[in-house]
Structure formats: structure tokens, C-alpha cells
Amino acid sequence: MNSVSDPRTEVTAHWSLVVAALLATYMQAMNISIPNAAVLHVQGGLSMTDDEIGWVFSSYIAASAIVMPMTHWLAGRFGRKVIFQVSIALFSLALMLDTLATTPLQFVSARILQGAASGTLAPISMAILLHELPPFRHGRIGIAWSVTALLGMLSGPAIGGWLGEYVGWHSIFYISLPMAGFIALAMGVYLKEKKLHKSEHFDFFGLATFSVGIAGLQMLLDRGERMEWFASPEIWAEAIASALGFYLYIVHVLTKDEHFLNKALFKDRNFSVATVMFFAFGFVLLPTLALTSPMLEELLGYPADTAGFITIPRGIALVGALLLTWRAPTRIDNRLLVIGGLALVVYGNWRMLGYSPLMDWWPVVAAGAIQGAGLGMMMPALTRAAFSTLDPRFRAEGTVLFNLSRLYGSTIGIAIVQLYFYSNTQSMHLALANNLRPYRIASQAAGSLSGQGLALMNELITGQAALVAVIGQFKLLMIAMLIVSPLALLLRKPRSGNIPGVAK
């Protein structure tokens, strides 16, 4: 009997592809955040400076965002199976290079390769799921795909924290190798090759200029504080590259009919407004993790595994709210869900402003869960708003831009909060140290302290300054949400029939 026509073989192939596609989505999302709770171990192992920590996350996200728009063209030109297998191979190679790195430059280079390889995994995985399942299940698999990606991103800190604390920071990358092996095997055995009959044109110039603009801005924000801003030729070069890249891209958009982001997308008010708000969603989603785990470990003294576990309630609340919102009846005005989500995010961040050195873990769990519930409400509500009025012809391109806005929001958000954190820590340290006057008891006592005692006093002042700076960054995230909140009033009521999977 021909094995291809064997029903049992077909069922095995079908479910193997579904599981492998979802696992690939989980793996690429988990690797964004898995260093989060173990970042201090990584920093110590590689002798990274404080301003280089943000590169652990932003390098991966930025590289992924640059490659993602090319996925459709690459799959059409070379075949989705070839691109997927090459991406898995490069991703696995990058995982090993992460563990072999001995300098910050080597590690960041490996993260860039890892992020670039991951850029095609999620889109092709989604295409495979849509191909494997009948149309009436596309709505549900879309929800499953989104939940899987979020679970990967939100479970990363807990997994990485536990491994970093008890096994070593290298293990946070080794753990993905068995997953990558299973995915490669399943796709190699069961996935059938599929290429377009005609290679489509791709706007490489538009993507290149846009990427140069984003990369230049990212480097400027990451390196500016350390290089004393425009006193450094490097910062001037990055600023010029960013401005030139954005200028050429804008001119390209205005003068050419075809480019990798269709101008027609921006003519739809709902899509444009929702995309801007989704950028703000990304601006809060990952930067909150980037701030919380180091705060718990470095300033409050929690071990890495506990810091990772404390982030779990935020993830549970986010996924739970997402599922409930997605199944909300259409008679509920979607704009109310957007506004409700915004209100919860703002309230969660407002509670974060009350963090103090004397608190236990409960305020972090409560504030994180409230913020997570708000983000969980916003994600499906904004997705409905964005695509309910968009012409179906532009849905594929719209999906790329919509997801890119979240990725760019996260990478720019991480750069900004890291920048202001270190700047505010220095200024607050100076302000607190200036309060030590000769007539104050603490200062009089300091005169009799040994060098070790003075170092301890400086450490206490630095810790206080850092905590005040962290709270300031949570305030910045809250302000960002407040700024975009009025945009919800510009959304038009979606037509539910235009969105798959919406509950009737």
C-alpha cells in the first residue's frame, strides 16, 4: 500500500505539522524573553556593561522585524520548506553561538543571527496552519497561534530564571535545541514543498531604507548615553544614517506605486489608528518585563527563579483576558473593550508607581496581573478594529505591518526605558548624595567609617536612586498609554463578519 494514501499516515502528517508549526511559534517567541530573568547571570558571565543589557533583547527583535517582511517573497522564490528548514538551521546555529560567546559583541552578533532566523518562522508557521486546516477552523487556529506566541513570550522569564539560577545561563539557549530538532524533523518528513508559479517583485529598496532608519535610531538610543551623545562622531553617524534612511523611504513611498508597505493601508482610518495603538501596546508589553525582573533581582534581592515566577500571573491574566475578549459577543461595542483595556493598563502602571524597597512580592504580582489583563483585552480588540474595515486584498500586507508595529514598539520601548533608566539613576544618585551635609548625622558617622563602610553607603544610595529611576520608567510607560488613549475615540464600529473567529 502506498504510504502517502494511508489514512493513518495522513493523520500523523497532519498533526505533526500542526504541532511543529505551533512549537516553532512558541520557540521563536520564548527566545525573545527567556534571557530576561537570567540577564544578570549573562551580564556577569560576559562582563557586559549596564547599557549593553538592552541589546540582549533589542538585537533579536530588530533583526526579526527586518527579515519578517521578506518572508512571503522568500517562500515564493525558494519554497516555504527550504526557507523554513534554513531558518531552523540558522536558528539552531545561533543558539550554539550564544552559548559559545565570550564577549558582548560575540553574544549580540549571535542574537542578531538568531532574531533574523526567527523572522520567517512565525509567518510560515501560520501559513502552514492555514493550509493544513479547513477554512471554518481558521478563526480558532488564529487565536491558538496568537496565544501560543504570547505564552512563549510570557513564559520565557520563568523558564530562563529557573535555568539561570540552578543550571547556568548557557542552558537557557540549549533548551531550545531539542524543540528545533523536532520541528526540523517533522517539517522535513511531512511538509510538502510549495512555491509560487511566478516570482513576485519585492521592494528591497524600501525595506532597506526603512531598516536603516530604524537601525540607526536604535543604535543612537542604545549608544547615546555611553558615548556622550553628539560629542561622539559615532552618534552623529547613526543620527545621519537614521534621518537619511527615513527620508529616502518617505520619498520612495511618495514617488513609487509599489513598495513593501502599501499606501492603501494608511487610507483606512481604523487600520491606521489601531496600528499606532498596537505600537504603544508593544511599547509596554516587553519593556515592562525588561524592567521588572532586574528590579526584583538587583534592587529587591530576589533570586532569578523567583523573579521569573513572579511574572507568571501577568502572563496568565493576559492570555485569559485575550481569550475572553476574543469570544465576546458582537453586540458589545469593540471600542469599549479597547478603552477598558487601556484603562486597566494605565491603572496597572499607576500601581507600579507605588513600588518601594520595603514591599514584598505581592504588589508586583497585583500590578502585573492588572496590566496583563488590560493588554489581553487590547490585543484582540485592536485586531478586530484594524481588520474589520480593511479591504481583504490588503489583509496579508496589513498583517505584516500590524505585527511589525508591535515589534518596533517593543524594541524602541526597551531602548528608551534603558536610556532613561541609567540617565535618571545617575541624576538621582547625585541628588541623594548632595543631601549628605557635614551637619547631618549620617555624614558625621561616615567620617568614622572605613572604606568598606563608605562603599556600603554608596551602594545604598545607588540602590535607592535605581529604584526611583525604575519607577520613573513605569511612569513613562503609563504616559505613553495615556497619550494614545484618545485615539480610541477615532475608531469606527467594526463589522464582525469581516473578522474570522469572532463570536456571533
Side-chain angles (χ1 to χ4, degrees), residues 81-425:
K81 183 174 182 177
V82 170
I83 296 301
F84 197 93
Q85 294 290 71
V86 169
S87 296
I88 286 291
L90 291 175
F91 191 89
S92 301
L93 173 63
L95 287 170
M96 291 185 286
L97 292 177
D98 284 329
T99 64
L100 296 174
T102 56
T103 66
L105 180 59
Q106 292 174 354
F107 183 77
V108 171
S109 299
R111 287 288 284 175
I112 290 173
L113 176 61
Q114 190 183 2
S118 76
T120 60
L121 294 181
I124 295 180
S125 295
M126 185 61 176
I128 291 171
L129 292 171
L130 294 177
H131 181 266
E132 287 296 315
L133 296 168
F136 70 89
R137 290 189 177 178
H138 285 182
R140 291 185 178 181
I141 200 60
I143 298 173
W145 184 85
S146 298
V147 169
T148 300
L150 285 173
L151 283 175
M153 197 179 303
L154 298 170
S155 65
I159 296 172
W162 188 88
L163 290 173
E165 186 71 18
Y166 296 107
V167 185
W169 69 266
H170 297 84
S171 63
I172 67 178
F173 300 105
Y174 284 133
I175 193 175
S176 295
L177 288 173
M179 287 188 280
F182 169 78
I183 295 165
L185 180 62
M187 294 297 180
V189 172
Y190 296 115
L191 183 62
K192 297 179 181 178
E193 188 56 281
K194 181 180 180 181
K195 289 197 293 187
L196 298 178
H197 297 296
K198 182 180 178 182
S199 181
E200 296 183 353
H201 169 74
F202 184 79
D203 178 22
F204 284 101
F205 180 81
L207 177 62
T209 53
F210 187 79
S211 298
V212 168
I214 288 290
L217 177 61
Q218 184 77 43
M219 290 298 295
L220 186 151
L221 294 172
D222 283 338
R223 300 274 292 169
E225 184 71 19
R226 184 180 186 185
M227 304 302 294
E228 298 184 354
W229 294 103
F230 290 99
S232 167
E234 177 190 330
I235 299 303
W236 274 106
E238 289 160 359
I240 292 171
S242 179
L244 183 61
F246 284 129
Y247 170 76
L248 291 175
Y249 177 71
I250 292 172
V251 172
H252 179 66
V253 169
L254 296 177
T255 57
K256 297 293 183 180
D257 293 330
E258 294 184 2
H259 36 81
F260 84 100
L261 296 178
N262 198 313
K263 287 186 290 188
L265 293 171
F266 302 101
K267 295 179 181 179
D268 187 290
R269 188 176 76 186
N270 263 26
F271 181 83
S272 299
V273 170
T275 300
V276 172
M277 297 183 74
F278 209 48
F279 178 91
F281 173 95
F283 191 89
V284 172
L285 178 65
L286 285 181
T288 299
L289 284 177
L291 288 169
T292 301
S293 292
M295 177 193 73
L296 290 169
E297 295 176 52
E298 197 166 4
L299 303 180
L300 301 181
Y302 286 94
D305 59 328
T306 304
F309 293 146
I310 288 175
T311 65
I312 290 177
R314 178 177 183 256
I316 294 174
L318 196 156
V319 172
L322 183 148
L323 293 173
L324 290 175
T325 304
W326 200 277
R327 299 303 300 170
T330 54
R331 63 177 176 270
I332 299 177
D333 192 332
N334 190 66
R335 293 167 294 186
L336 296 177
L337 297 175
V338 173
I339 293 171
L342 284 166
L344 285 175
V345 173
V346 170
Y347 178 57
N349 276 88
W350 178 79
R351 289 180 63 103
M352 293 175 188
L353 304 186
Y355 288 170
S356 78
L358 302 178
M359 68 180 182
D360 58 11
W361 53 268
W362 172 247
V364 179
V365 169
I370 293 170
Q371 187 205 62
L375 292 171
M377 288 180 66
M378 284 182 63
M379 188 174 183
L382 287 176
T383 302
R384 285 180 180 174
F387 293 96
S388 63
T389 58
L390 187 66
D391 191 319
R393 293 177 299 168
F394 306 125
R395 189 169 290 169
E397 293 171 286
T399 300
V400 172
L401 176 57
F402 194 64
N403 287 318
L404 281 178
S405 68
R406 175 179 57 82
L407 290 175
Y408 283 129
S410 290
T411 186
I412 296 297
I414 289 172
I416 290 176
V417 297
Q418 292 283 352
L419 164 66
Y420 281 103
F421 169 70
Y422 296 117
S423 175
N424 291 350
T425 299

Side-chain angles (χ1 to χ4, degrees), residues 429 432 436 442 445-446 449-465:
H429 186 280
L432 293 174
L436 292 177
L449 289 176
S450 63
Q452 183 178 2
L454 290 173
L456 178 60
M457 180 173 290
N458 180 69
E459 184 179 347
L460 291 174
I461 293 175
T462 301
Q464 292 285 342

